Amino acid sequence: AKVSGLSASRHWGGHSTLSAAGIRAGQGPSWSAAWRFTTDYGLAVWKALVAALIIAAAMQSLVPRDWLVRMLSRRRPTASATAGGMAALPSMMCTCCSAPIAVSLTRCGAPTSAVLAYWLGNPLLNPAVLAFLALVAPWQWVATRALCGALLVVFGSTFAARWANSQKSD
């Protein structure tokens, strides 16, 4: 429904969380503005966060752990990161809402590169965000976001996983 409305108007009708919090450009930080921002953001994402908690609980209790780990485990960390990034595409969440699922993946024994790629892939490679961006911005922005997002999801996750694994062994 949002895509069809956006394609007709070419205008994003949502409100700005910063504006709702009363934050203006050049304004210094304050506790009251931080609280207003947190409250407005929480009201905006609470449904998705509840859905993520339910999905994470369902994944831990219903999806066979060995199947999940096999699906995300590949011979190379880059391939595991690619699998994790691909798994993120249909869930289309923000990082805060995909975090409970990433924790569930970690508890199931999924490789770190796959978990990080899943967590980062949700907001960076979100097909809905790319579709919205394509409707309101030049195609170059969409291509840049998709390319940089894919590179960060695959190679950034691989690098971070290698670094994290080297820290564990020290």
Side-chain angles (χ1 to χ4, degrees), residues 40-60:
D40 188 66
Y41 188 76
L43 291 172
V45 303
W46 76 268
K47 292 175 192 170
L49 186 55
V50 168
L53 290 170
I54 292 169
I55 292 167
M59 184 180 355
Q60 280 191 324

Side-chain angles (χ1 to χ4, degrees), residues 23-24 26-34:
I23 301 170
R24 292 178 303 281
Q27 180 181 352
S30 71
W31 286 109
S32 63

Side-chain angles (χ1 to χ4, degrees), residues 2-156:
K2 287 195 181 240
V3 171
S4 64
L6 190 58
S7 66
S9 69
R10 301 282 184 190
H11 176 72
W12 182 256
H15 79 281
S16 165
T17 302
L18 293 174
S19 296
I23 301 170
R24 292 178 303 281
Q27 180 181 352
S30 71
W31 286 109
S32 63
W35 179 251
R36 288 191 309 264
F37 176 86
T38 302
T39 303
D40 188 66
Y41 188 76
L43 291 172
V45 303
W46 76 268
K47 292 175 192 170
L49 186 55
V50 168
L53 290 170
I54 292 169
I55 292 167
M59 184 180 355
Q60 280 191 324
S61 61
L62 300 174
V63 177
R65 288 179 186 219
D66 59 336
W67 177 82
L68 186 60
V69 171
R70 266 195 329 263
M71 184 184 84
L72 295 174
S73 297
R74 302 288 187 246
R75 292 179 191 246
R76 303 179 60 93
T78 305
S80 291
T82 302
M86 295 300 287
L89 292 177
S91 57
M92 299 189 293
M93 294 186 225
C94 62
T95 51
C96 63
C97 293
S98 63
I101 298 169
V103 170
S104 291
L105 290 172
T106 301
R107 287 182 181 158
C108 289
T112 305
S113 60
V115 173
L116 287 171
Y118 178 83
W119 183 63
L120 290 173
N122 269 281
L124 292 175
L125 302 176
N126 187 326
V129 171
L130 293 173
F132 294 152
L133 189 59
L135 292 170
V136 298
W139 69 267
Q140 294 92 337
W141 288 24
V142 180
T144 300
R145 180 176 174 122
L147 178 65
C148 291
L151 290 172
L152 182 61
V153 165
V154 174
F155 296 110

